[in-house]
Amino acid sequence: GCRPGPGELATEKEAEESHRQDSVNLLTFILLLTLTILTIWLFKHRRVRFLHETGLAMIYGLLVGVILRYGIPATSYHNKTPPSCSLKEGPVSTLLLNVSGKFYEYTLKGEINSREIHNVEQNDMLRKVTFDPEVFFNILLPPIIFHAGYSLKKRHFFRNLGSIITYAFLGTAISCFVIGNLMYGVVKLMQVAGQLTDKFYYTDCLFFGAIISATDPVTVLAIFNELHADGDLYALLFGESVMNDAVAIVLSSSIVAYQPSGANTHMFDASAFFKSVGIFLGIFSGSFVMGAATGVVTFTKLHCFPLLETALFFLMSWSTFLLAEACGFTGVVAVLFCGITQAHYTYNNLSEESTKRTKQLFEVLHFLAENFIFSYMGLALFTFQNHIFSPLFIFGAFIAIFIGRAFNIYPLSFLLNLGRRHKIKGNFQHMMMFAGLRGAMAFALAIRDTATYARQMMFTTTLLIVFFTVWVFGGGTTPMLSWLHIRVGVDPDQDQQPCGDNFQVLQGVRIAHRLSKTKQESAWLFRLWYTFDHNYLKPILTHSGPPLTSTLPSCCGPLANCLTSPQAYEVSVHMHLQNRTEMHTAKVHCSICSVHFTGFMFSLNTNKQTNKQISSPTSSLAW
Amino acid sequence: GCRPGPGELATEKEAEESHRQDSVNLLTFILLLTLTILTIWLFKHRRVRFLHETGLAMIYGLLVGVILRYGIPATSYHNKTPPSCSLKEGPVSTLLLNVSGKFYEYTLKGEINSREIHNVEQNDMLRKVTFDPEVFFNILLPPIIFHAGYSLKKRHFFRNLGSIITYAFLGTAISCFVIGNLMYGVVKLMQVAGQLTDKFYYTDCLFFGAIISATDPVTVLAIFNELHADGDLYALLFGESVMNDAVAIVLSSSIVAYQPSGANTHMFDASAFFKSVGIFLGIFSGSFVMGAATGVVTFTKLHCFPLLETALFFLMSWSTFLLAEACGFTGVVAVLFCGITQAHYTYNNLSEESTKRTKQLFEVLHFLAENFIFSYMGLALFTFQNHIFSPLFIFGAFIAIFIGRAFNIYPLSFLLNLGRRHKIKGNFQHMMMFAGLRGAMAFALAIRDTATYARQMMFTTTLLIVFFTVWVFGGGTTPMLSWLHIRVGVDPDQDQQPCGDNFQVLQGVRIAHRLSKTKQESAWLFRLWYTFDHNYLKPILTHSGPPLTSTLPSCCGPLANCLTSPQAYEVSVHMHLQNRTEMHTAKVHCSICSVHFTGFMFSLNTNKQTNKQISSPTSSLAW
């Protein structure tokens, strides 16, 4: 029972004030988003296409940033250096402060530049609207990336998988090295011109190359979607941008891990280089395996309870992220592959209600997170404290990303065309070149560490590149499409599942036909994979596809029996018997609920197997 | 370009380690939730009703708590007191630490008990799984409370509004004072018995009375829902529990604000008392007005773009919370009334797709947040560091909450029955008495401040009360229902809107009939409110109800014309003309999109008004 002393009351009031300030800050962002949504709606309604919602969010962010920076009178700042105390040991995470016998606990926030000490309180207002950069990685990026994976248009994606992987891996690596080397030249030039006031190493340049190689053509893709542009081009662009985010994030952390031993730091060192390559491969494959594994393990059947199903789906995706982070892998990459795997396997096992719900849930999360990041970018231009605007570096970076993108697209397209049946035509290549916008991932990677001079310069430049590409290239998409004579208004039904499911039988035939067409169009490697996936993985992991007993050799009979879900049998029987009325009535009641984990099945109620499942076979044939 | 020095590297590694630890902790909770969901599903499947998901979440939380507490070898702790430094001034929010010329920034975490100083590092492991209590208030409670408001079954709720308000306000106040006084007696007794080692004031007892008066019969209500128990009883219980959360939270902060001036602290002081009452009224009405206003202002029409609509809806609800917090009101209370208002007005203006989406979105958020809180409760029993188990206090509290509940229910029911046409029967009263479970709100209020001896004892006791009531009373609901002969299996259709909308005309008549019945059943005050709402508020705020031109006197013609939405006219015309086929075709295209704010209308496209809106009138008549 302590009535608080006067000191305590002051602290309590301060805490209350800080809580209120936090609320106001968050409210600012939310009102920004609200304003963005209302304007987007107006734009959509008027069919304005030159400015995408992300571009709009940036503009509003900029405006608020200007107001915060210049609109609030400076008198409210009390220019005061906070008290300091000295210790001989290195920084500890927890520090105790003894004020006349009372102890207060303090936690380490980070190192602070000696020139900033006097600004700590002065810039408090602007610092308050600054988020911990880890928020971007741990809260905002995961839903964006997961949604990208989960909403891949599968048929076109898998048909172009080889090309997408080539662009994403080889292309990003090329782009990273080209940009890195060009920027090293720019940095040398700046050194000569005396415009560089602090160190800027070769590894810093490579790091810049890595972060700026993550493309994010969200604006272009939105317009493609709206105009129903060519499906293959869409898949190439979307697939590349999704995958190169993953490559860029791992690449950048491998470059950070490149620490040559001995005296010649920041020089080329073969062992350190191979160590970095090893780290890249290790982190990437680790994250990939983890994401794919969790995507597959995800419960497969909790029908009847869509709420539980949706909640579980959400939790599993999130735990993939956390698991990867806990193991030292990259959560964002794991989440991407988790999304792709879930879209491919788990999606078929969800109830119809849950497929809708999960899609909508992640759609909303993705929408909010994306617009938040972009409006934060706008805000950061004026509220971030340590911008270093270097015209030479910025100009060089614009040239370098252009050249880097060209070295990525054109040579690789040439090589890919040697092997592709459907060539990537010249106008497609130009469009891909044009669509190299930068966005959320480049920003998040750049803001993650802004401690050194080089990183601060990179951050400023990245911000400007994002602004320019989103506004200019994003806005120029529609004219560019017509200028390059790219086909629009393609029948979107070719890509999507029909919503109704009354025409399943007819559809089944059509889709099976499409499958064989897709197979023909693909390279031999993917034909092999298709067959393996369709005959073995799908039957084991989902309740669709042919029963294993019919695809495995007869010697494996008992194993096949054990691994095949009872519904898969049902399905193959039903395929012959079903008619519309029967399906309709069968769909009304939902009596079987069994949990089906990878390869293990807990069948709890196997006496009555007629249920919704019968709608799966056709949809599983779809990719 | 700084290659990090050895000290910096150590900090970096420490940060990485701490990040990994954070991931593991969050992962623990997510796996807990996953396990809970899987078990719930099993229970639902087997129709087990004695254990609700929240009870289950607590059990799993307890198990993990035991493992964390006793399962991890103590050798991993390094018993070390963190370094401390001294200052003469009071605690500051930002402290600089100078380690051989380098400056590090530290932020204030809070005061620390002198006896805990040596445990700071020792208990680091257990402290790590401890969340900032504000997380409960700012992140987990809002979706729970909003969902409660948004999913009120309106007809029964408004029919019993008078009784609900009486129980919630008067009842909670009675319960708070009865429990507070009884506990003061217990505390006096403990003082005599020498079992009290620190101060425990009368205001502390009242505070305990306030926090423990927030009921949360989530288990009971789930069973009611499942068994379709009597609608009025459901509305009474649900309404009371939703509203008394709001009352309890404001009441507790008014009690904290009760600071008598002068020497006689903790004695009765009339001016301080009235100040507290004033604070209560001020905060409550402020939060109410703010919530209701935002609920009404919310955009009313963004049809065609359900994603934008859903996102906007979500943001507006959240900004209500933040706005209230920023103004010094109570966000949770504002969010509750925002939910109720939105369910009543905005819901009618949303597109069909969005009504589903918003419901589902908040359903998932509510589900996850609720189960998270309950599993955290289980965990806290073993991982919270400052439990004070006082058998006498705990025993006294159990008796006191029982008596407090009885003083709330029985006398008020007697008084209410004098005025009610539909009496609250004896068995209903017993059921309400029985359903006084404690849950998330009591816990969140108790954990918010555990700095003093009294508060720590309260926290421990609250935790045990929640466990006991959820498991024992929650588990005993089904037997209790049959023992009290409470009607189950009531037709739930009476409460809900039918899903299809092909039978609108017939329904319209039925619903209008129901409306008049509901009106008859209510007291005069609410009949007045009904009429006012139906004739004036609904037409202004939504696109349903009769056009204002027909309800306002003719002298107000121009004003009425200006305020009535064009759709409302359409609607009244359509009511005569419509037939099934026409409605069906009209619903296919959606050509009009206008934003309609409170009383102001921006009609952007008024040439074609036939759209989905025509389905609104009947649904608006429903309460």
Side-chain angles (χ1 to χ4, degrees):
Chain A
C2 330
R3 267 204 70 198
E8 219 168 297
L9 259 185
T11 323
E12 213 166 83
K13 254 189 193 162
E14 214 168 77
E16 204 173 282
E17 188 47 52
S18 125
H19 173 69
R20 196 173 292 188
Q21 186 59 48
D22 286 348
S23 301
V24 172
N25 294 336
L26 213 47
L27 194 61
T28 310
F29 282 103
I30 290 184
L31 292 182
L32 261 177
L33 287 183
T34 309
L35 207 62
T36 310
I37 291 177
L38 287 175
T39 322
I40 295 166
W41 164 76
L42 199 74
F43 278 22
K44 287 213 173 187
H45 178 65
R46 297 249 159 129
R47 295 181 196 285
V48 173
R49 285 208 190 90
F50 66 86
L51 189 56
H52 185 248
E53 56 210 52
T54 52
L56 200 69
M58 287 196 301
I59 292 177
Y60 283 130
L62 274 177
L63 291 179
V64 173
V66 169
I67 293 168
L68 282 181
R69 182 66 174 261
Y70 303 108
I72 293 168
T75 46
S76 64
Y77 304 141
H78 32 290
N79 193 347
K80 209 178 72 180
T81 310
S84 76
C85 68
S86 302
L87 271 187
K88 277 174 190 161
E89 313 153 50
V92 285
S93 54
T94 304
L95 183 74
L96 293 180
L97 178 69
N98 182 348
V99 181
S100 50
K102 280 197 171 182
F103 284 90
Y104 296 90
E105 197 183 348
Y106 282 80
T107 40
L108 181 63
K109 206 170 170 185
E111 198 187 337
I112 190 161
N113 228 309
S114 52
R115 67 192 155 103
E116 282 167 40
I117 289 178
H118 307 289
N119 291 338
V120 168
E121 295 255 336
Q122 189 181 16
N123 296 322
D124 217 33
M125 174 66 213
L126 293 179
R127 284 165 48 120
K128 275 258 169 81
V129 289
T130 308
F131 281 85
D132 181 356
E134 293 303 310
V135 166
F136 296 102
F137 273 87
N138 297 333
I139 297 175
L140 296 171
L141 277 186
I144 295 180
I145 302 287
F146 181 86
H147 182 258
Y150 197 56
S151 65
L152 275 180
K153 288 190 174 178
K154 290 187 286 174
R155 191 166 72 98
H156 282 117
F157 176 74
F158 282 99
R159 199 158 74 178
N160 295 294
L161 190 57
S163 309
I164 289 169
I165 287 179
T166 311
Y167 286 124
F169 281 81
L170 215 55
T172 307
I174 290 174
S175 164
C176 168
F177 281 95
V178 168
I179 295 174
N181 285 307
L182 286 173
M183 290 320 290
Y184 194 57
V186 172
V187 165
K188 283 282 163 213
L189 197 71
M190 286 168 71
Q191 229 160 16
V192 170
Q195 287 193 10
L196 212 60
T197 60
D198 208 333
K199 288 159 197 159
F200 207 122
Y201 291 108
Y202 182 63
T203 42
D204 290 328
C205 294
L206 276 185
F207 181 80
F208 182 69
I211 64 174
I212 209 69
S213 293
T215 61
D216 183 11
V218 50
T219 315
V220 177
L221 292 173
I223 292 172
F224 273 39
N225 230 339
E226 210 173 317
L227 299 179
H228 303 303
D230 186 273
D232 279 317
L233 181 58
Y234 184 93
L236 281 174
L237 264 178
F238 186 55
E240 187 220 346
S241 76
V242 165
M243 301 282 268
N244 79 8
D245 280 358
V247 174
I249 192 172
V250 183
L251 203 58
S252 66
S253 57
S254 315
I255 290 169
V256 170
Y258 175 80
Q259 296 282 359
S261 58
N264 58 342
T265 54
H266 302 280
M267 295 293 289
F268 185 75
D269 178 309
S271 73
F273 174 76
F274 284 113
K275 202 180 141 207
S276 270
V277 172
I279 288 173
F280 176 86
L281 294 176
I283 293 183
F284 199 94
S285 52
S287 310
F288 171 78
V289 167
M290 196 157 280
T294 333
V296 158
V297 162
T298 304
F299 66 97
T300 56
K301 281 185 66 206
L302 288 176
H303 292 275
C304 319
F305 308 109
L307 173 64
L308 297 187
E309 220 173 10
T310 312
L312 203 53
F313 191 85
F314 177 77
L315 289 179
M316 292 298 286
S317 325
W318 198 12
S319 60
T320 305
F321 175 83
L322 291 171
L323 195 65
E325 290 286 319
C327 296
F329 296 124
T330 308
V332 169
V333 178
V335 146
L336 169 64
F337 290 104
C338 175
I340 296 177
T341 325
Q342 285 188 328
H344 187 44
Y345 296 112
T346 316
Y347 198 76
N348 291 322
N349 296 328
L350 288 174
S351 68
E352 215 176 302
E353 172 75 19
S354 294
T355 53
K356 252 196 196 166
R357 281 193 181 206
T358 51
K359 262 209 181 298
Q360 289 173 356
L361 178 69
F362 281 104
E363 203 182 348
V364 170
L365 291 179
H366 154 260
F367 177 84
L368 290 176
E370 194 172 74
N371 284 296
F372 184 89
I373 290 192
F374 278 88
S375 60
Y376 187 79
M377 275 190 230
L379 198 76
L381 190 64
F382 285 97
T383 58
F384 182 69
Q385 296 293 300
N386 304 311
H387 277 304
I388 297 178
F389 289 94
S390 161
L392 203 59
F393 190 84
I394 292 164
F395 182 74
F398 270 93
I399 305 287
I401 62 163
F402 186 80
I403 298 175
R405 182 90 188 148
F407 270 89
N408 170 355
I409 299 299
Y410 295 115
L412 289 184
S413 302
F414 175 77
L415 288 178
L416 286 170
N417 276 341
L418 297 179
R420 278 177 71 103
R421 205 166 300 192
H422 280 268
K423 307 295 180 202
I424 300 167
K425 283 171 288 179
N427 59 348
F428 278 26
Q429 295 179 27
H430 299 319
M431 194 67 218
M432 288 187 72
M433 176 75 206
F434 180 83
L437 314 188
R438 267 63 174 179
M441 180 57 82
F443 170 78
L445 283 169
I447 204 178
R448 197 171 203 177
D449 180 3
T450 52
T452 69
Y453 174 81
R455 292 287 169 85
Q456 287 165 6
M457 196 184 275
M458 283 179 212
F459 176 65
T460 307
T461 309
T462 306
L463 214 51
L464 292 176
I465 289 174
V466 174
F467 288 163
F468 183 81
T469 55
V470 168
W471 286 330
V472 176
F473 293 138
T477 306
T478 321
M480 202 59 170
L481 273 175
S482 62
W483 195 64
L484 291 173
H485 301 293
I486 287 171
R487 193 165 68 114
V488 293
V490 178
D491 178 19
D493 256 353
Q494 281 201 333
D495 303 331
Q496 285 168 342
Q497 289 302 310
C499 302
D501 23 27
N502 289 334
F503 309 99
Q504 297 263 334
V505 187
L506 285 169
Q507 284 274 332
V509 176
R510 232 180 78 189
I511 289 166
H513 174 70
R514 222 160 71 188
L515 173 70
S516 68
K517 207 176 124 204
T518 307
K519 264 177 77 177
Q520 273 176 15
E521 284 163 356
S522 314
W524 62 271
L525 182 68
F526 298 101
R527 260 173 291 167
L528 208 78
W529 159 247
Y530 267 133
T531 317
F532 178 72
D533 182 61
H534 179 251
N535 288 348
Y536 305 109
L537 288 182
K538 283 244 172 179
I540 292 175
L541 300 174
T542 74
H543 301 287
S544 54
L548 275 180
T549 37
S550 70
T551 56
L552 276 180
S554 56
C555 61
C556 310
L559 182 71
N561 260 324
C562 157
L563 290 178
T564 305
S565 111
Q567 285 90 311
Y569 290 113
E570 279 287 320
V571 158
S572 62
V573 175
H574 261 277
M575 287 292 272
H576 302 284
L577 297 175
Q578 70 196 5
N579 63 52
R580 275 174 64 175
T581 336
E582 191 188 340
M583 284 189 65
H584 197 78
T585 51
K587 208 165 286 169
V588 171
H589 70 285
C590 160
S591 65
I592 167 208
C593 296
S594 66
V595 185
H596 177 202
F597 281 98
T598 331
F600 301 96
M601 178 133 38
F602 310 107
S603 234
L604 292 157
N605 188 354
T606 41
N607 53 331
K608 265 196 124 184
Q609 302 288 10
T610 36
N611 74 333
K612 292 184 181 180
Q613 250 14 65
I614 46 175
S615 62
S616 307
T618 44
S619 58
S620 78
L621 291 172
W623 68 268
Chain B
C2 330
R3 269 204 70 198
E8 218 167 299
L9 259 184
T11 324
E12 213 165 83
K13 253 187 193 163
E14 214 168 78
E16 204 172 282
E17 188 47 51
S18 124
H19 173 68
R20 196 173 292 189
Q21 186 59 47
D22 286 348
S23 302
V24 172
N25 293 336
L26 214 46
L27 195 62
T28 310
F29 281 103
I30 289 185
L31 292 182
L32 260 177
L33 287 183
T34 310
L35 207 62
T36 309
I37 291 177
L38 287 176
T39 322
I40 295 166
W41 164 76
L42 200 74
F43 277 23
K44 287 212 174 186
H45 178 65
R46 297 249 158 131
R47 296 180 195 285
V48 173
R49 287 208 190 89
F50 67 87
L51 190 56
H52 185 248
E53 55 210 54
T54 51
L56 200 69
M58 286 199 299
I59 292 178
Y60 283 130
L62 274 178
L63 291 179
V64 173
V66 170
I67 293 169
L68 283 180
R69 182 66 175 261
Y70 304 108
I72 292 168
T75 47
S76 65
Y77 303 142
H78 33 290
N79 193 346
K80 210 178 71 179
T81 310
S84 76
C85 68
S86 302
L87 272 186
K88 276 173 193 162
E89 315 153 48
V92 285
S93 56
T94 304
L95 183 73
L96 293 180
L97 178 69
N98 181 348
V99 181
S100 50
K102 282 196 168 180
F103 283 91
Y104 296 90
E105 195 184 350
Y106 282 80
T107 39
L108 181 63
K109 207 168 168 186
E111 198 188 339
I112 190 162
N113 227 308
S114 52
R115 65 193 157 102
E116 281 167 40
I117 289 178
H118 307 288
N119 292 338
V120 169
E121 295 254 335
Q122 189 181 16
N123 295 323
D124 217 33
M125 172 68 213
L126 294 179
R127 283 166 49 121
K128 277 260 167 81
V129 289
T130 308
F131 282 85
D132 182 355
E134 293 302 312
V135 167
F136 295 101
F137 273 87
N138 297 334
I139 297 174
L140 296 171
L141 277 186
I144 296 180
I145 302 287
F146 181 86
H147 182 257
Y150 197 55
S151 64
L152 275 180
K153 289 190 174 180
K154 290 187 287 175
R155 192 167 71 98
H156 282 117
F157 175 74
F158 282 99
R159 200 159 71 179
N160 295 293
L161 191 57
S163 309
I164 289 169
I165 287 179
T166 311
Y167 286 124
F169 282 81
L170 214 56
T172 307
I174 290 174
S175 163
C176 167
F177 281 95
V178 168
I179 295 176
N181 285 308
L182 286 174
M183 291 319 290
Y184 193 57
V186 172
V187 165
K188 284 281 164 215
L189 197 71
M190 285 167 72
Q191 229 161 15
V192 172
Q195 286 193 11
L196 212 61
T197 61
D198 210 333
K199 287 160 197 158
F200 207 122
Y201 291 108
Y202 181 63
T203 43
D204 291 327
C205 294
L206 275 186
F207 181 80
F208 181 70
I211 65 174
I212 210 68
S213 293
T215 61
D216 182 12
V218 48
T219 315
V220 177
L221 292 173
I223 292 172
F224 272 39
N225 230 339
E226 210 173 318
L227 299 179
H228 303 304
D230 186 273
D232 280 316
L233 180 57
Y234 183 94
L236 282 174
L237 264 177
F238 187 55
E240 187 221 347
S241 76
V242 165
M243 302 282 269
N244 78 7
D245 280 357
V247 175
I249 192 172
V250 182
L251 203 57
S252 66
S253 58
S254 314
I255 291 169
V256 170
Y258 176 79
Q259 297 280 357
S261 58
N264 59 342
T265 55
H266 302 281
M267 293 293 288
F268 184 76
D269 179 308
S271 72
F273 174 77
F274 284 113
K275 202 180 143 208
S276 270
V277 171
I279 289 174
F280 177 87
L281 293 177
I283 294 184
F284 200 95
S285 53
S287 309
F288 171 80
V289 167
M290 196 158 280
T294 333
V296 158
V297 162
T298 303
F299 65 97
T300 57
K301 281 186 66 206
L302 288 176
H303 291 276
C304 318
F305 308 109
L307 174 64
L308 297 187
E309 219 173 10
T310 313
L312 203 52
F313 191 86
F314 176 78
L315 289 178
M316 292 299 285
S317 324
W318 197 12
S319 60
T320 304
F321 175 83
L322 292 171
L323 194 65
E325 290 286 319
C327 297
F329 296 125
T330 308
V332 170
V333 178
V335 146
L336 169 65
F337 291 105
C338 175
I340 295 177
T341 324
Q342 285 189 329
H344 187 46
Y345 296 112
T346 316
Y347 198 77
N348 290 323
N349 295 327
L350 288 175
S351 67
E352 215 177 301
E353 172 76 19
S354 294
T355 53
K356 253 197 196 165
R357 281 193 182 206
T358 49
K359 261 209 180 298
Q360 289 173 357
L361 178 68
F362 281 104
E363 203 182 349
V364 170
L365 291 179
H366 154 260
F367 177 83
L368 291 176
E370 192 171 74
N371 284 295
F372 184 89
I373 290 192
F374 278 88
S375 60
Y376 187 78
M377 275 190 229
L379 198 76
L381 189 64
F382 286 97
T383 59
F384 182 70
Q385 296 292 299
N386 303 312
H387 277 304
I388 297 178
F389 289 95
S390 160
L392 203 58
F393 190 84
I394 293 164
F395 182 74
F398 270 93
I399 305 287
I401 62 162
F402 186 80
I403 298 175
R405 181 92 190 146
F407 271 88
N408 170 354
I409 299 299
Y410 295 115
L412 290 184
S413 302
F414 175 77
L415 287 178
L416 286 169
N417 277 341
L418 297 179
R420 278 178 72 102
R421 203 164 302 191
H422 280 268
K423 307 294 179 203
I424 300 167
K425 283 170 287 178
N427 58 349
F428 278 26
Q429 296 179 26
H430 298 319
M431 194 67 218
M432 289 186 73
M433 176 75 206
F434 180 82
L437 313 188
R438 268 64 175 179
M441 181 56 83
F443 169 78
L445 283 169
I447 205 178
R448 198 169 202 179
D449 180 1
T450 53
T452 67
Y453 173 81
R455 293 287 169 85
Q456 287 164 6
M457 197 184 274
M458 283 179 212
F459 176 65
T460 308
T461 309
T462 305
L463 215 51
L464 292 176
I465 288 175
V466 174
F467 288 163
F468 183 81
T469 55
V470 168
W471 286 330
V472 175
F473 293 139
T477 307
T478 322
M480 203 59 172
L481 273 176
S482 61
W483 195 66
L484 291 173
H485 302 293
I486 287 172
R487 196 164 66 115
V488 293
V490 179
D491 178 20
D493 256 355
Q494 282 200 333
D495 303 332
Q496 286 167 342
Q497 289 302 309
C499 302
D501 24 26
N502 289 333
F503 309 98
Q504 298 261 333
V505 188
L506 284 169
Q507 284 275 332
V509 176
R510 232 181 78 190
I511 289 166
H513 174 68
R514 222 159 70 189
L515 173 70
S516 69
K517 207 177 123 203
T518 306
K519 263 176 80 176
Q520 272 177 15
E521 284 163 357
S522 314
W524 62 272
L525 182 68
F526 297 102
R527 259 174 289 167
L528 208 79
W529 159 247
Y530 266 133
T531 317
F532 179 72
D533 182 63
H534 179 252
N535 288 349
Y536 305 109
L537 288 182
K538 282 242 171 178
I540 293 176
L541 301 174
T542 74
H543 301 288
S544 53
L548 276 179
T549 37
S550 69
T551 55
L552 277 178
S554 55
C555 61
C556 311
L559 181 72
N561 260 325
C562 158
L563 289 179
T564 305
S565 111
Q567 286 88 311
Y569 290 113
E570 279 288 319
V571 158
S572 62
V573 174
H574 260 278
M575 287 294 271
H576 302 285
L577 296 174
Q578 71 196 3
N579 63 51
R580 274 174 65 176
T581 337
E582 191 188 340
M583 285 191 64
H584 197 78
T585 51
K587 206 165 289 171
V588 172
H589 70 284
C590 161
S591 64
I592 166 207
C593 297
S594 66
V595 186
H596 177 204
F597 281 96
T598 330
F600 300 97
M601 176 131 41
F602 309 108
S603 233
L604 293 157
N605 188 355
T606 42
N607 52 332
K608 265 196 123 186
Q609 304 285 11
T610 35
N611 74 331
K612 293 184 182 182
Q613 247 17 63
I614 45 175
S615 61
S616 305
T618 43
S619 58
S620 77
L621 292 172
W623 68 268

